[in-house]
Amino acid sequence: MLRHRSEQHFIDQGRLYCPLRRHDVDFDLCAGCRWCTGIDLEATPPVVRCEPESQPIWLFRSWR
């Protein structure tokens, strides 16, 4: 099984880009998100880590 690396999204003034919703959201929505693997408010800058449930579409082979 291919393991996808977790993505980091920087929190800026309480908002960050959400790859699931494909636009900026308030970071508190991340706490209940199925993709969220961690929220680090002590990092500089603060980050949310998330991991998509499936592989990115560019990894799928169309000839299978």
Side-chain angles (χ1 to χ4, degrees):
M1 177 179 165
L2 182 62
R3 183 97 172 133
H4 185 268
R5 274 190 356 184
S6 182
E7 298 177 3
Q8 289 192 131
H9 301 278
F10 299 109
I11 301 171
D12 182 23
Q13 297 179 358
R15 296 186 60 81
L16 68 144
Y17 176 76
C18 174
L20 179 63
R21 294 171 181 86
R22 297 184 181 168
H23 58 83
D24 287 354
V25 298
D26 291 328
F27 87 92
D28 58 345
L29 286 176
C30 301
C33 179
R34 65 183 186 267
W35 285 13
C36 183
T37 60
I39 299 172
D40 189 353
L41 298 177
E42 295 181 11
T44 306
V47 296
V48 171
R49 293 181 184 89
C50 61
E51 186 171 334
E53 291 179 335
S54 62
Q55 296 175 358
I57 195 147
W58 55 268
L59 287 178
F60 289 107
R61 295 181 186 152
S62 59
W63 60 87
R64 274 191 172 195

